[in-house]
Amino acid sequence: MAETLSIPAGSSKDEMYRALLPQIAAVIEGVADPIANMANIAAILKEAFDFYWVGFYRTTAPENLVLGPFQGPLACVAIPFSKGVCGAAARKQQTIIVPDVDKFPGHIACSSLSRSEIVVPLVAGGATQLVLDVDSDRLDAFDETDKLYLEEIVGLLRRENFEAA
Ligand code: SME
């Protein structure tokens, strides 16, 4: 397994994601433990993009998310499906991009420095297994490029056996 990331200098966001995807796939290939894979994905995204916060919330009880592997400042531990951007993405089973968190009703402010956010759910067997949450300290940091590639990255976890966690 490669232990350092290869990130082409001066790349566009699209190029960076395209360079990272095979590296992420290689890092998690053959690793059955989803927590280990979530931890490495969070580390890779944080290192590559220097996002303010990047991490996972897992559905550990019906309609309830609990903090999983992450990189960044201390975060809220429990988020019901009825609350926040994470809860909304888990409930609607679709990616949500929030250009300005102050304008999202019910946004949960784990940190006042977070200004925009994207949350990508992983749905398997009709149920939301987890969400990937990425926060930026800049307004309007996320777009369709992030959605496209982060959905692909989260999709890599689909093959893993979450029941084994
Ligand atoms: N802002 C999220 C909560 C999680 S933190 O950003 C790490 C939300 O509204 O669901």
Side-chain angles (χ1 to χ4, degrees):
M1 184 189 99
E3 283 170 7
T4 51
L5 286 179
S6 166
I7 303 167
S11 308
S12 68
K13 182 157 74 174
D14 184 85
E15 287 166 339
M16 280 180 66
Y17 276 119
R18 275 194 278 124
L20 285 177
L21 257 169
Q23 297 180 70
I24 293 173
V27 163
I28 73 174
E29 189 189 346
V31 178
D33 188 324
I35 300 289
N37 289 334
M38 285 185 255
N40 266 333
I41 289 173
I44 289 168
L45 292 174
K46 175 80 170 145
E47 182 180 340
F49 293 103
D50 199 25
F51 291 131
Y52 178 68
W53 194 94
V54 49
F56 292 87
Y57 282 89
R58 298 181 302 137
T59 307
T60 55
E63 308 275 297
N64 276 288
L65 297 164
V66 169
L67 183 64
F70 71 96
Q71 297 265 322
L74 188 68
C76 324
V77 173
I79 301 179
F81 278 23
S82 55
K83 297 266 165 65
V85 187
C86 290
R91 192 173 68 248
K92 295 179 178 171
Q93 302 193 327
Q94 63 191 40
T95 297
I96 297 181
I97 295 173
V98 180
D100 179 349
V101 296
D102 290 337
K103 297 194 172 130
F104 186 94
H107 167 258
I108 300 166
C110 293
S111 163
S112 59
L113 294 179
S114 176
R115 309 291 304 282
S116 61
E117 179 164 8
I118 182 169
V119 180
V120 179
L122 175 68
V123 180
T128 301
Q129 308 286 314
L130 57 83
V131 300
L132 169 65
D133 179 15
V134 186
D135 288 30
S136 174
D137 55 7
R138 292 183 293 114
L139 282 173
D140 204 11
F142 304 104
D143 56 23
E144 290 299 313
T145 299
D146 299 282
K147 177 176 186 292
L148 176 75
Y149 289 106
L150 292 176
E151 285 180 351
E152 205 161 328
I153 290 165
V154 167
L156 294 172
L157 289 166
R158 185 181 303 284
R159 289 193 295 273
E160 306 304 324
N161 178 6
F162 284 91
E163 283 68 43

